[in-house]
Structures are given as C-alpha cells and as structure tokens.
Amino acid sequence: MKLTSLQEIGEFGLINELKLSATRQNASTQYGIGDDAAVIEPGKKQVVISTDMLVEGVHFDLTFCPLRHLGYKAVAVNVSDIAAMNATPTQILVSLAVGGRYSVEAIKELYDGIRIACENYKVDLVGGDTTSSNSGLIINVTAIGEANAEDVVYRNTAQVNDLVCVTGDLGAAFLGLQILEREKQAFMANPEMQPELEQKEYLVQRQLRPEARMDVIHELRELGVKPTSMIDISDGLASELFHICGQSGVGAAIYQDKLPADEQVLNTAEEFRIDPLTCILNGGEDYELLFTVKLSDFDKIKNHPDITILGKIVPKEEGLNLVTPSGNAYPLKAQGWEHFQQ
Amino acid sequence: MKLTSLQEIGEFGLINELKLSATRQNASTQYGIGDDAAVIEPGKKQVVISTDMLVEGVHFDLTFCPLRHLGYKAVAVNVSDIAAMNATPTQILVSLAVGGRYSVEAIKELYDGIRIACENYKVDLVGGDTTSSNSGLIINVTAIGEANAEDVVYRNTAQVNDLVCVTGDLGAAFLGLQILEREKQAFMANPEMQPELEQKEYLVQRQLRPEARMDVIHELRELGVKPTSMIDISDGLASELFHICGQSGVGAAIYQDKLPADEQVLNTAEEFRIDPLTCILNGGEDYELLFTVKLSDFDKIKNHPDITILGKIVPKEEGLNLVTPSGNAYPLKAQGWEHFQQ
C-alpha cells in the first residue's frame, strides 16, 4: 500500500479528509468544523470544559501504543474529566502537531480512534487545529460537557461522615505499562521474540484503551444518588483523595481490605516485585471515579457491582489514613505521577 | 539570579504558582482552575469555541521571540478567532508542554504575557494542563466566547453586492518575520553585531505581538453594523477571501489601489526584492478581520479610520479577481501558509 505524505495533501487537505466523518450527536452543537470557531447553544445548562495534552515520549510510546488506541484514549481521558464533574460530555476539539515522518494513513488511524470514542461517548468533534511538529506527535483535546447547575459535583464539597467510593478496580493501568515496557526491552534485545502477554490482557487493555466511567455516572443518576464530591483517578487513588480532602477541609479513613484490584494486578505486582498496595494506591491512569456520597445513600449503592465503598470522610484533624485489617492506621502519602520529576 | 528548574517545583507546584494570578472578569465564569473542569454559565447566549496550537520551531523561534510576547500572541490569535465570529471572548484554557531546559522563571515570563493578554481582552484563564516535553515548547490555547444567537457571523453568508472590507493594514507581520530571520542569520555569523531594526519597528511588532481586532468588533456594534460574513486573516488575505467566497458560493472583485499597507511594508518589500502585492495578498499572521457588509451600510463605515473597503462580492461565475488601476482583472490565487509544505 502506498502511503500519502502530509506534504502531498497539506493542512487544508487533511482538515477536509477528517471533516467528512463528523456527524452531529448533540442538540447543543450548532456549528462544527469549518469556521473560525465552533458554536454551541447549551440553553439553560452550565458548560463544563477541560483540556489535556498528550506528548509522544512522555504520555505514550508508539512502539507499543497503536495510533487507533491512542486516539481513543486521548478522548476518553478528557471525557473522564467531564464525568468527574457529573456532567454529560457533548463536544470535543482536537489539536494535533504531527512530525513529517507520519503518513496521512497514520493520522487517519489516529482519527479513527477519536471517531470511535466520539461515537461511544456521544460527543461531537466540532473543531481543532492541525499543524506540523519538528519532533513527535502532540495531541491536545478540549472536552465540553453540560449539566444543570444543581447537578455539577466539585472536589471541595465532601463532608464528614460521607462514604468514600470508587468505581472499578485499581492499579491495572500502571502494571500494564510495566508489562509493555518490559516487552519493548525484550523486543529490542531480540526482534524475533513473541510478546508474552498471556494472563496480562486486562492490564494491557487498561493501559492502552481506558474508558471514562460515563456508565456509572448514568447509573448513579438512575439510582437518585448525587455524589457530594468527585474526581477522576488519573494520578493514583492516594493523590486524588488528597485533592478531595485538601479542598474540602476534611480527612479520610480508607480500609485496606476494601481496595478493589483485579487478580492480574495481584499476580503481576508479585512478578515485578512491587507491593500490590503501591500499584493500587499510587498507580496512575486507571480513570476510575473517586467520589463521596451521603451515608443515607448507602442502601442505594451497596450492591452496585462497579462501585466499592472504601471508607469514610472524617474530621480534618484525623488526617488521611489507610486502616489495615488488624485495625492499625497508617498515614497515606500522595505519590502522584509528576511528569516533571521523571 | 538563581533559576528554579521545573524538576524542583513539579507540575502541581507550577499549577499553584500560576493559579494565584487568576482573577475573574466575566460573570459567566462560575469556576476556574482547581477542579476536573472549569464551569461556565452562558445564560441564553451561544458559546463559541476555538483552539490553536503553537509549536516551537514551526510557529515561533525563541531566539528572537521573547516568551512574554509569545504568551501574549498565543492568546491574541485565539481571541482573533472569537472576534471573527462577532462574539465576545470570555475564557481561555492553556495547555503547555515544556522541555526540561526551561526554568520556572521562563515559564512565568510566558504566563505574564498570557496574563497581560487576558487583562487586555478581558478573558478569564479557567484551566489548562502543564506537562513536560522531550523537545521544544508547545502551547495550545482554547478560547471561549459568547454572543446572542442572532449576532454570530459565519463565513458562509456573504451575498452578491456586499462590500468587502478589511481592518488595519496587511503584509507587515510577514515582513517582520523576514527581518527577524535576517537579523538572526547576521547574529549567528557575528554575535557582536547590533540588530538593524530602525524603520522596521512596526513590522517586528506586528510579527511578535499581534492584536486581535476586538476594538473594531465593538465599534461595528456601536455603528449598528453587523457584517454579513467574517474571517480573521491568519493565512493571508487571498486565502481567507477564498474561504468566504467558497463557503458562500460567490465571487469577489478586489481593487488593487485600495489594498492597505504601511509604508514600512512597501519599503521593506523592495529591500527584500519581494513584490509588495505578494506580501499584502499572501503574507500571513496579520490577524486583521476580513468581512463583508451590506451595500446599505456603506455610509456607516466609509469614514472609519481602521476599515478599508476593498471591493465587492460578485456572482460566483465571475470568480475572484484583483482589479488593477487600469481596470484589468487578474484571477486571485490562494497561497495560504501551508505548514506541512514548508
């Protein structure tokens, strides 16, 4: 197959190629790609808006991250921010800087992933910018969502006695990255080798193609539960809990035996000689939701298969503690992913 | 002066440093930096939103572009997109990817420029993302504006017999870039030399620190003139006129003797042996507004010092032509800035 260079098609050509696949899914989308700006009509709703930049070599490694998954992930992590406000995602804008070594076909693969994510999360691609880069690939996604003012959930509104909850399970995306990096090293040492990914599929999938938990947002609405505070887990459970508690002026007690982890996390942590607790508390990129609910909502959520009640909010003076099965309390540490400190 | 490395302060530290300077200028700004997303309440207005990515080595060269000007320009070019929709800019989000060689002080210089632009254009910095980069500096700005639905001006609504108008003058930013690149070459050949910028100040300023023409947007409102179509000139007059005419299904006749240019443009084009007409028609980055108005608005704008009437919209069959003083018509060519074709 002959690949088309970006030089051949030019920026305007690329925009036209990409424009064709855009269809409108939200009533608030008045005008998308094709003018100086997109136009949105949110009616009486509030608009929530978030932006995230992914940089090649820092946030992703194209030796093991397929471009289609990367496009999907770039959208999912931004939708996750909208979910964490208890809002409904409606539009995205995508800026791309692309090195000359990329073909039009490669960029289309990336956009295929973006398009699939737009369909899954029912958001409209309404704008963006495409430019060249002297080095790697850079993707910036801005996500827009809408919510009634009374439904928006902030980080700074957790109250003492609220229950601390988390969706899904934790630590898998971090271990998925360890697996992929190990396989990359092995491949570079011996290009004939086959990757050893048996029993690791879940970990790899969680790293390469995370999902925003819009499903849980919709289910909480159906259950009549409005979280009292919420954040998505991009930097690790402990780090995010510090954000909620710090901004709300409260403490928290988290029970070690409640922490949700997949069996592959437990087995693989052992294989890598990492404490599984470290993966669960400090592994980033799971994009699950950490939230608090009123104690009176306990019955509504206690049997939800994707929600785990981890502990409770306590007065600020008690601090943030991990409580072991034997009842000892250890202060939590926020070891977020500090990209500048790598 | 001791400079602080980004490694010392970390991503969260940087966000906190930057957060302190954010003050709210718009009633629609409900919540800014500090949560998963910013929250905006536009009331009954429409929201317009645009995004632009600036890449080191492609869009700017830090050997001659001060970081403070760069920050200002990154905001101004996005505000210009909002202006081109006839909307009022209200919020921005800024994503930065920064190489390890930058100091915190350098990034603060950049943010100082961003902050000054926010104050000038009365927009709130409500969010963003700060990450590291393995190579240069990348800035992505998303600008948000608001307008009553009936006030939004698109590109695709120019009508036959409308007047074609432009703000300010053209070609200066392009020649400013030529000057700066010439001085850079001279400096690299002989670091003792002093830059020769006499009689070039206007050109250099137009390249390094362009302004969005919000002043004209406000004045047109006061005059009771709503453009029938509008676009901002980032890629050159000819290219933008092709966008308006192509999307509106019309042609245009532009009079050569009406094209507005500063004396420095005419003199410097000669010095560089470039046809001044090429600079005026195809030089990018002037960020002036190209718009059309109804013929009946002629009297309202004819004496405006910052608006030039260039020509008129004609039926599509007549094409896009430049009419010389002797009355000959030559087809215009759209030679936009194609970053992929450099």
Side-chain angles (χ1 to χ4, degrees):
Chain A
M1 190 172 95
K2 186 188 167 289
L3 297 180
T4 316
S5 76
L6 287 173
Q7 280 81 358
E8 281 174 65
I9 187 170
E11 184 178 351
F12 295 127
L14 187 59
I15 290 170
N16 283 332
E17 288 274 348
L18 301 171
K19 207 169 135 175
L20 297 172
S21 58
T23 55
R24 197 182 90 144
Q25 306 207 48
N26 289 284
S28 62
T29 305
Q30 291 293 309
Y31 198 94
I33 295 166
D35 215 297
D36 295 282
V39 180
I40 294 163
E41 188 161 295
K44 291 175 184 167
K45 296 197 172 177
Q46 288 191 331
V47 174
V48 302
I49 180 157
S50 174
T51 193
D52 249 314
M53 190 177 266
L54 299 179
V55 179
E56 183 175 350
V58 177
H59 301 94
F60 57 89
D61 183 334
L62 291 174
T63 48
F64 53 67
C65 182
L67 282 163
R68 189 182 286 243
H69 283 0
L70 180 63
Y72 193 94
K73 182 172 178 173
V75 177
V77 304
N78 276 280
V79 166
S80 182
D81 281 322
I82 303 301
M85 302 300 287
N86 200 32
T88 303
T90 45
Q91 291 90 15
I92 59 165
L93 298 94
V94 178
S95 296
L96 276 188
V98 189
R101 69 189 158 93
Y102 288 86
S103 65
V104 172
E105 287 75 10
I107 300 305
K108 276 192 187 167
E109 274 288 303
L110 183 73
Y111 265 90
D112 273 346
I114 291 171
R115 191 178 42 75
I116 293 165
C118 285
E119 286 169 12
N120 274 9
Y121 296 117
K122 297 187 173 51
V123 301
D124 296 318
L125 175 62
V126 295
D129 189 20
T130 315
T131 183
S132 62
S133 144
N134 291 334
S135 48
L137 180 65
I138 297 118
I139 310 172
N140 193 88
V141 177
T142 299
I144 301 157
E146 51 192 40
N148 294 317
E150 63 273 21
D151 292 332
V152 175
V153 174
Y154 293 90
R155 295 176 179 178
N156 60 4
T157 40
Q159 304 247 351
V160 172
N161 290 328
D162 286 351
L163 299 172
V164 177
C165 308
V166 71
T167 60
D169 55 68
L170 301 173
F174 169 76
L175 284 168
L177 183 60
Q178 308 312 310
I179 294 284
L180 288 165
E181 288 186 341
R182 181 180 72 184
E183 294 305 311
K184 181 185 173 182
Q185 296 304 325
F187 177 81
M188 279 160 55
N190 173 15
E192 299 295 309
M193 62 88 56
Q194 291 296 310
E196 287 174 33
L197 297 178
E198 212 179 318
Q199 305 287 310
K200 312 290 183 202
E201 298 86 348
Y202 181 66
L203 306 180
V204 169
Q205 178 213 321
R206 292 281 283 174
Q207 169 58 225
L208 294 182
R209 201 178 183 284
E211 292 285 358
R213 296 309 304 257
M214 281 309 301
D215 55 340
V216 175
I217 294 296
H218 292 305
E219 286 157 18
L220 286 173
R221 272 178 219 168
E222 281 162 24
L223 292 167
V225 176
K226 182 193 167 188
T228 56
S229 71
M230 185 152 54
I231 191 169
D232 74 324
I233 302 182
S234 52
D235 289 327
L237 175 67
S239 172
E240 311 302 358
L241 192 60
F242 269 89
H243 282 303
I244 283 188
C245 290
Q247 292 192 29
S248 300
V250 296
I254 297 298
Y255 296 92
Q256 186 178 346
D257 57 3
K258 300 289 186 192
L259 292 172
D262 188 87
E263 206 175 329
Q264 288 189 12
V265 167
L266 304 177
N267 295 338
T268 308
E270 195 175 347
E271 197 181 316
F272 276 88
R273 298 173 195 217
I274 308 175
D275 183 352
L277 200 55
T278 303
C279 303
I280 295 165
L281 289 175
N282 301 313
E285 297 201 280
D286 283 319
Y287 298 102
E288 298 292 343
L289 294 170
L290 175 67
F291 60 99
T292 55
V293 299
K294 290 201 192 92
L295 190 55
S296 55
D297 283 329
F298 175 73
D299 282 339
K300 293 182 188 166
I301 60 164
K302 67 180 180 189
N303 293 323
H304 193 293
D306 286 334
I307 296 175
T308 305
I309 301 168
L310 294 180
K312 62 183 178 189
I313 297 295
V314 299
K316 188 180 177 180
E317 304 74 58
E318 298 181 26
L320 276 73
N321 290 287
L322 182 72
V323 183
T324 63
S326 57
N328 293 318
Y330 295 96
L332 277 171
K333 284 174 194 158
Q335 295 177 302
W337 276 31
E338 291 263 334
H339 284 299
F340 288 122
Q341 296 183 341
Q342 282 182 340
Chain B
M1 189 173 96
K2 187 187 167 289
L3 297 180
T4 317
S5 76
L6 287 173
Q7 280 81 1
E8 281 173 63
I9 188 171
E11 184 178 351
F12 294 127
L14 187 60
I15 291 170
N16 283 332
E17 290 272 348
L18 301 172
K19 206 168 136 177
L20 297 172
S21 59
T23 55
R24 197 182 90 145
Q25 306 206 47
N26 288 285
S28 62
T29 305
Q30 291 292 308
Y31 199 94
I33 295 166
D35 215 296
D36 295 282
V39 180
I40 293 163
E41 189 162 295
K44 289 175 183 167
K45 295 196 171 177
Q46 287 192 332
V47 174
V48 302
I49 181 158
S50 175
T51 194
D52 248 315
M53 189 177 267
L54 298 180
V55 179
E56 185 175 349
V58 177
H59 301 92
F60 58 89
D61 183 334
L62 290 175
T63 48
F64 53 67
C65 181
L67 282 162
R68 189 182 285 243
H69 283 0
L70 180 63
Y72 193 94
K73 182 172 178 173
V75 177
V77 304
N78 277 279
V79 167
S80 181
D81 280 323
I82 303 301
M85 302 300 287
N86 200 31
T88 303
T90 44
Q91 291 90 14
I92 58 164
L93 299 94
V94 177
S95 296
L96 277 189
V98 187
R101 70 190 158 92
Y102 288 87
S103 65
V104 172
E105 287 75 10
I107 300 306
K108 277 190 185 167
E109 274 289 302
L110 184 73
Y111 265 90
D112 273 346
I114 291 172
R115 191 178 41 75
I116 293 165
C118 285
E119 285 168 14
N120 275 9
Y121 296 117
K122 298 188 173 48
V123 301
D124 296 319
L125 175 62
V126 296
D129 190 19
T130 314
T131 183
S132 61
S133 144
N134 292 334
S135 47
L137 180 66
I138 296 118
I139 311 173
N140 193 87
V141 176
T142 299
I144 302 158
E146 50 192 43
N148 295 317
E150 63 273 22
D151 292 332
V152 175
V153 175
Y154 293 91
R155 295 176 179 178
N156 61 3
T157 40
Q159 303 247 350
V160 172
N161 290 328
D162 285 351
L163 300 172
V164 177
C165 308
V166 72
T167 60
D169 56 66
L170 300 172
F174 169 75
L175 284 168
L177 184 60
Q178 308 312 312
I179 294 284
L180 288 164
E181 288 186 339
R182 181 180 70 183
E183 294 306 311
K184 180 184 172 184
Q185 297 303 326
F187 177 81
M188 281 162 55
N190 173 15
E192 300 295 308
M193 61 88 58
Q194 292 296 312
E196 287 173 35
L197 297 177
E198 211 179 318
Q199 304 287 311
K200 313 290 183 203
E201 299 87 348
Y202 180 66
L203 306 179
V204 169
Q205 178 214 320
R206 292 281 284 174
Q207 169 60 224
L208 294 182
R209 200 177 183 286
E211 293 285 0
R213 298 308 305 256
M214 281 309 302
D215 54 340
V216 175
I217 294 297
H218 293 304
E219 286 157 16
L220 286 173
R221 272 179 219 165
E222 282 162 24
L223 292 168
V225 176
K226 182 191 167 189
T228 55
S229 71
M230 186 153 52
I231 190 169
D232 74 325
I233 302 181
S234 54
D235 289 328
L237 175 67
S239 173
E240 312 302 357
L241 191 61
F242 268 89
H243 283 305
I244 283 188
C245 290
Q247 292 192 28
S248 300
V250 296
I254 298 297
Y255 296 93
Q256 186 178 344
D257 57 4
K258 300 289 185 192
L259 292 171
D262 188 86
E263 206 176 330
Q264 289 189 8
V265 166
L266 304 178
N267 295 339
T268 308
E270 195 175 345
E271 196 181 318
F272 276 89
R273 297 173 197 218
I274 309 175
D275 183 352
L277 200 56
T278 303
C279 302
I280 295 165
L281 289 174
N282 301 313
E285 296 201 280
D286 284 319
Y287 298 103
E288 297 293 343
L289 295 169
L290 175 67
F291 60 99
T292 55
V293 298
K294 289 202 192 94
L295 191 54
S296 55
D297 283 329
F298 174 73
D299 283 337
K300 293 183 189 166
I301 59 164
K302 67 179 178 188
N303 292 322
H304 193 293
D306 286 335
I307 296 175
T308 304
I309 301 168
L310 293 181
K312 62 183 180 189
I313 296 294
V314 298
K316 187 179 179 182
E317 305 73 57
E318 298 181 25
L320 277 72
N321 290 287
L322 182 73
V323 183
T324 63
S326 57
N328 292 320
Y330 295 96
L332 278 170
K333 285 175 194 159
Q335 294 176 301
W337 277 32
E338 290 264 333
H339 284 301
F340 288 122
Q341 297 184 340
Q342 284 180 333

